[in-house]
Amino acid sequence: MKNSYLNFEHSSSCLLRTLKLTLTKTVQFRAFMIAALVLISGSFVSCGDNFLDPAPSSAISADDFYTTEGELLNAVINMYDGIQGVNALDDSDSNANHAIQVEFYITEMRSDNTRTKSSEGEAAQFENYTLRPTNGIVYDYYRSFYDVLKRANIVLANIDVASEANKAKIEGEAKFIRAYAHFNLVRLFGDIPMADRVIGIADTDVQFTRTPKAQVYELIIDDLNAAIASLDNTYVNRASKAAAQATLAKVYLTLGTNYTEAQVLCEAVINSGFALEPNFNDVFYNENNNEVIFSIGFLSNPASDSQSFSAEWLNSVGRSSGVNYVTNEAAAALDANGGNRAAYSYRIDPAQPTQKQVAKYFPNGENGGATGVTFNSNPRAAGNDWIVLRLSDVLLMHVEAIMAGGASTSVQAALNSFQKVRNRAGLTDVVTSITKKDLLDERRVELAFENHRLFDLIRFNAAQDVLSAFSAANGYSFTSTDLLLPIPQREINLSQGMLTQNPGY
Amino acid sequence: MKFIKIINKKYRQGLGIAAFMSVIGVFISCDPALSHYEFDLPETGSIADATPPTANFSATQSSIDYRIYNFSNLSVSATTYLWDFGDGNTSSSLDGVNTYPGEGTFTVTLTASDALGVESTFSMTIEIVEPEAPAAIVPFIKEASFEDNSPGSEDCGSGNMDGRDCWRISGGRIFGITSSPVRTGSQGAKFDAGSDRVAYQALTVTPNTDYIVTVYYTIKTSPVGSAMRLAILGNAISNASEAEDAIIASITGDNQDDANEYLPLVLSFNSGATDTIAIWIDSNNVAESRIDDVSIILAE
């Protein structure tokens, strides 16, 4: 407001100078008086608060929208809407954010678990480790999760409109989502711009400064502790205390610190009333079952709440010819160590028997019949929830926490957790000692195609060994710098040189 | 018309001569010895290497074998690499991986160069140590035999230590000191009949480790129905009222056959997800009871 007032004065004095030069001396005084009058009245008008920045009367403005708790709850749901992303069936704009629906590309397809069916296009850059900074899917995920961060920060910025009774809960929920998004981004991109508040369009310093990982993790840990302190276990499709505890345990395991705290957190989750589904297949087709700790909800109708990845993983059922196809290595691991999980985790593509598909998350539970491509419902509008955290992940994290960076463990508490996961898979032989490799292998077959494998390999310090061998065997071009994604080129361009690229790109 | 023809003819002759000259010219200019560039000053027209290479790498110990190190090449603006792993092995691949002969300190050097031959080197010293399973802590129990001024008791207060200062807990009534009967030394702990006496001491332990605690007790022969309890608390407490909820293992002894014979009370437990446990001893205070010689060892 002050600036615009000064501008106005400035242009008026310009007008005065022009008048002085062009008018004859006789009328100069009168003209000066008129101009002065114009200037004075102009000043009065511009002193009004809304003259140049009026509040719109026929539309809602973001600045003053949130006035009640009910409106703030819209912003809470809006966070989950951001994680859901847009189904291309509902909105085919490729600039839309697809968020969790494209996460498998940048996690599972960069591991030794999956690949594209045809090895074509930018989707194949993930499996053969030829990622370019211009890759559209990487940019999609990056902007999606910064959008989620913004949505969470909007809740936090307007937290004061919440009632005293619910304030802490809403704040904890937003902080959990902020931690979840930061944790994904920091593991994928390394040092990242940190969004600890709503980042405005002019905050280029924040947008384009890569905050050191350690500092991002500090905020993640603070946020998760706040969430643990204020949340309960009411929801599965929304943040909960158990989800925050499990995520914090994973943060500690990723950092390789606070193993005892991680163990306490895992035990708290294990003792919170969750239970393994007796049948492994039901984990994925019996929605919100007792094993699920946190999942991203989807509905088959309306299409705006549905997801597309279930269709994309099949043979030309989605927009691609088939992505997230199972590698021979993953299939061999499942056959060798999966027990009854193998049959529920992958299948031979009925339409193309040389290829293997993921058997978790068939669209709306329909497996496509004998051809694998025939459905009663629209497979591209799938309602399957995406499971982010489930109990068996936490049971195996419990073993990892007890191992505490060591090479093996035979502590009874660890054996018990490990045995529970294996017993459900029909592998009831009694385990008396667990090595780090046993644990990594067990996580691979239990959590196959659930976007854990790449993070597990990195966390276990096994990524370079395993992926180098995998890459050499398949003629791909893995190098150690492929463990971090490139910062999207568009962001680097927008930053005008402020944002630096990761090594190797 | 004729005039034009003559010109044309002359022109054609000229063209022929010019062609001949240019052929000779080509031969001359192809001879490097006669290149006119040789008279230029060196570096004329060249620009400095605006993007010189920067060598950098990180090292991680393999999860498979402690002697294998993976090196992640983080160099910028380089095209060729030379690794010197410090044990005589070298490599020219992008990422380095080396199996070391065994424990020791090695200096790893990466020389990165670009196509103009500009080099940059980066070195890192790595220490290879066979990871040992960390030895579990055997906690030290202060005033374990309830003797005056016994080792460690200086941590529990100043002045004359009376053999029970390390066993106090607020909200709990400390036991008395007895001189007869005792099992070793000259003092033991006495839990009077009709009085809620307790003993409490927090210990630092290794998480998830099996321990065995032993205490010797004796109870007067009457009244009957008396019992001593040895319990392990899963965490340190600040008030005796918190003890009951914190118990992770306990055992009771109710042998009242002989008021002068000390019998062992042995309790095995796993420390679980904590690095602090506490010993808790109390009595149902029916008959006067005594304890002596508290010890803790690692279970094999």
Side-chain angles (χ1 to χ4, degrees):
Chain A
M1 205 60 213
K2 201 168 184 186
N3 269 335
S4 28
Y5 175 74
L6 287 175
N7 281 340
F8 183 72
E9 202 173 41
H10 175 72
S11 56
S12 302
S13 56
C14 281
L15 180 70
L16 275 181
R17 273 205 299 274
T18 319
L19 286 169
K20 264 186 187 168
L21 288 170
T22 50
L23 293 180
T24 59
K25 225 174 184 181
T26 46
V27 292
Q28 201 174 2
F29 181 72
R30 238 165 71 191
F32 178 77
M33 288 303 290
I34 293 167
L37 195 68
V38 167
L39 176 63
I40 289 162
S41 53
S43 302
F44 277 114
V45 173
S46 69
C47 279
D49 271 348
N50 296 326
F51 181 63
L52 291 176
D53 191 14
S57 53
S58 60
I60 296 164
S61 145
D63 288 338
D64 45 16
F65 173 69
Y66 296 104
T67 53
T68 67
E69 188 175 302
E71 287 164 351
L72 189 62
L73 286 174
N74 287 338
V76 170
I77 300 305
N78 188 46
M79 301 190 296
Y80 302 99
D81 189 55
I83 302 171
Q84 254 187 355
V86 169
N87 186 347
L89 176 72
D90 182 55
D91 177 358
S92 60
D93 181 358
S94 59
N95 288 321
N97 295 336
H98 301 96
I100 198 82
Q101 297 185 43
V102 293
E103 192 179 75
F104 68 90
Y105 285 102
I106 59 168
T107 54
E108 211 64 6
M109 288 199 357
R110 276 165 73 219
S111 80
D112 51 355
N113 270 1
T114 63
R115 56 176 175 77
T116 57
K117 180 162 72 71
S118 59
S119 304
E120 283 173 348
E122 68 177 359
Q125 291 179 6
F126 296 97
E127 76 210 38
N128 56 29
Y129 305 103
T130 55
L131 260 183
R132 305 299 307 149
T134 47
N135 187 290
I137 298 166
V138 173
Y139 185 47
D140 190 345
Y141 194 84
Y142 186 91
R143 63 172 189 251
S144 293
F145 274 81
Y146 275 100
D147 179 50
V148 170
L149 283 170
K150 183 188 172 195
R151 292 172 189 229
N153 281 322
I154 285 175
V155 174
L156 294 170
N158 295 288
I159 195 70
D160 286 338
V161 306
S163 64
E164 280 309 312
N166 295 329
K167 194 172 176 176
K169 233 176 216 181
I170 295 172
E171 185 174 352
E173 190 163 2
K175 285 189 168 174
F176 169 78
I177 297 298
R178 189 165 74 174
Y180 164 74
H182 270 137
F183 187 38
N184 281 342
L185 289 168
V186 78
R187 286 185 293 173
L188 291 165
F189 293 94
D191 298 346
I192 48 165
M194 186 167 82
D196 55 357
R197 59 183 169 83
V198 176
I199 309 301
I201 202 154
D203 292 328
T204 47
D205 276 358
V206 185
Q207 286 170 32
F208 302 126
T209 303
R210 299 185 67 174
T211 308
K213 276 188 289 186
Q215 217 175 314
V216 179
Y217 273 113
E218 272 175 35
L219 179 68
I220 292 172
I221 292 169
D222 285 352
D223 281 351
L224 289 172
N225 277 321
I228 291 168
S230 61
L231 292 177
D232 55 28
N233 290 334
T234 309
Y235 297 108
V236 172
N237 287 153
R238 284 170 62 176
S240 66
K241 181 176 189 154
Q245 287 168 324
T247 306
L248 183 56
K250 197 166 275 180
V251 167
Y252 286 142
L253 295 177
T254 303
L255 294 172
T257 57
N258 304 56
Y259 286 114
T260 307
E261 274 183 67
Q263 186 185 350
V264 171
L265 289 163
C266 289
E267 286 173 8
V269 175
I270 292 166
N271 297 322
S272 292
F274 299 99
L276 293 182
E277 277 291 287
N279 183 333
F280 186 71
N281 198 42
D282 291 343
V283 174
F284 308 98
Y285 297 107
N286 180 5
E287 299 240 297
N288 289 345
N289 59 71
N290 237 347
E291 180 167 343
V292 179
I293 297 166
F294 178 52
S295 65
I296 307 302
F298 288 99
L299 294 170
S300 53
N301 186 30
S304 57
D305 277 331
S306 67
Q307 49 92 348
S308 62
F309 61 81
S310 287
E312 300 301 327
W313 299 359
L314 297 172
N315 199 332
S316 308
V317 173
R319 283 156 49 108
S320 66
S321 75
V323 288
N324 217 27
Y325 265 56
V326 176
T327 62
N328 291 335
E329 287 83 354
L334 278 158
D335 290 343
N337 309 320
N340 65 28
R341 289 170 293 197
Y344 298 134
S345 298
Y346 82 94
R347 70 167 181 189
I348 303 293
D349 179 354
Q352 208 168 333
T354 56
Q355 303 282 344
K356 302 177 188 75
Q357 296 173 325
V358 173
K360 298 174 176 178
Y361 297 105
F362 283 133
N364 303 315
E366 290 189 66
N367 66 12
T371 56
V373 293
T374 328
F375 301 89
N376 293 319
S377 63
N378 183 351
R380 287 184 55 198
N384 312 50
D385 293 354
W386 175 255
I387 300 170
V388 178
L389 289 164
R390 60 186 177 95
L391 181 61
S392 55
D393 181 13
V394 176
L395 286 168
L396 295 175
M397 282 201 283
H398 184 227
V399 179
E400 196 177 331
I402 293 173
M403 215 177 260
S408 68
T409 182
S410 49
V411 170
Q412 195 57 45
L415 298 176
N416 292 347
S417 291
F418 197 70
Q419 194 78 52
K420 268 189 214 166
V421 174
R422 287 177 61 85
N423 281 353
R424 195 252 306 261
L427 303 167
T428 50
D429 52 309
V430 177
V431 177
T432 54
S433 171
I434 309 161
T435 65
K436 218 171 162 183
K437 187 174 182 306
D438 293 338
L439 183 57
L440 186 60
D441 288 348
E442 191 62 36
R443 285 189 67 87
R444 185 180 196 185
V445 293
E446 173 68 24
L447 302 165
F449 322 125
E450 297 178 47
N451 301 354
H452 290 283
R453 174 70 173 164
L454 182 76
F455 294 136
D456 289 351
L457 285 170
I458 294 172
R459 201 170 68 240
F460 279 71
N461 263 352
Q464 203 173 331
D465 287 334
V466 171
L467 296 182
S468 295
F470 168 71
S471 168
N474 289 281
Y476 300 149
S477 49
F478 173 81
T479 61
S480 60
T481 49
D482 291 321
L483 295 178
L484 285 185
L485 289 170
I487 300 288
Q489 189 61 42
R490 283 197 194 185
E491 288 296 306
I492 289 182
N493 294 350
L494 286 171
S495 78
Q496 302 184 337
M498 271 179 79
L499 202 54
T500 53
Q501 185 53 277
N502 279 329
Y505 291 102
Chain B
M1 211 53 186
K2 198 178 181 185
F3 179 68
I4 290 170
K5 263 187 182 167
I6 289 167
I7 288 180
N8 240 345
K9 198 179 173 188
K10 275 193 175 163
Y11 174 71
R12 256 183 255 135
Q13 268 174 2
L15 199 70
I17 291 165
F20 182 66
M21 292 296 282
S22 70
V23 168
I24 292 171
V26 167
F27 277 114
I28 290 170
S29 68
C30 277
D31 183 349
L34 295 175
S35 164
H36 58 275
Y37 294 117
E38 73 180 303
F39 301 111
D40 282 349
L41 291 167
E43 304 300 321
T44 300
S46 71
I47 58 167
D49 191 345
T51 53
T54 311
N56 191 15
F57 64 86
S58 66
T60 43
Q61 196 170 25
S62 160
S63 62
I64 299 161
D65 182 341
Y66 77 96
R67 294 173 305 160
I68 299 178
Y69 256 78
N70 285 305
F71 300 98
S72 172
N73 194 330
L74 305 175
S75 303
V76 177
S77 205
T79 52
T80 51
Y81 305 95
L82 181 64
W83 292 91
D84 177 350
F85 296 116
D87 64 343
N89 292 342
T90 59
S91 164
S92 59
S93 58
L94 179 59
D95 286 324
V97 55
N98 190 42
T99 307
Y100 286 92
E103 293 195 350
T105 304
F106 301 90
T107 301
V108 184
T109 303
L110 171 64
T111 305
S113 44
D114 65 11
L116 294 172
V118 182
E119 286 187 352
S120 168
T121 57
F122 179 80
S123 294
M124 184 189 286
T125 302
I126 56 168
E127 195 177 349
I128 298 185
V129 184
E130 183 169 3
E132 282 178 53
I137 299 168
V138 182
F140 176 72
I141 300 176
K142 296 162 189 165
E143 297 181 331
S145 297
F146 312 108
E147 304 298 326
D148 288 352
N149 298 315
S150 50
S153 62
E154 60 276 7
D155 297 342
C156 308
S158 57
N160 217 16
M161 295 295 119
D162 73 352
R164 53 182 185 169
D165 292 295
C166 297
W167 293 97
R168 295 178 193 271
I169 175 74
S170 80
R173 196 163 174 205
I174 190 69
F175 53 81
I177 290 291
T178 180
S179 54
S180 177
V182 296
R183 183 170 175 272
T184 60
S186 55
Q187 292 185 170
K190 184 173 74 176
F191 292 69
D192 299 282
S195 173
D196 278 333
R197 304 297 180 124
V198 299
Y200 165 88
Q201 189 173 138
L203 303 173
T204 300
V205 293
T206 304
N208 304 304
T209 306
D210 291 326
Y211 288 97
I212 300 172
V213 174
T214 305
V215 58
Y216 289 86
Y217 80 101
T218 181
I219 308 175
K220 286 199 166 174
T221 50
S222 70
V224 295
S226 197
M228 284 300 301
R229 177 170 69 163
L230 165 64
I232 300 299
L233 313 185
N235 50 272
I237 57 173
S238 53
N239 192 287
S241 59
E242 301 160 21
E244 212 61 46
D245 291 338
I247 292 174
I248 57 170
S250 71
I251 187 170
T252 52
D254 56 3
N255 190 314
Q256 290 181 266
D257 293 349
D258 186 339
N260 292 309
E261 189 191 358
Y262 277 87
L263 300 168
L265 207 49
V266 181
L267 178 59
S268 301
F269 68 97
N270 186 285
S271 50
T274 181
D275 52 13
T276 306
I277 56 110
I279 293 176
W280 176 267
I281 302 167
D282 61 6
S283 153
N284 66 358
N285 60 63
V286 174
E288 188 179 289
S289 313
R290 287 172 168 74
I291 57 166
D292 204 354
D293 298 335
V294 189
S295 63
I296 183 165
I297 56 166
L298 288 168
E300 288 309 321

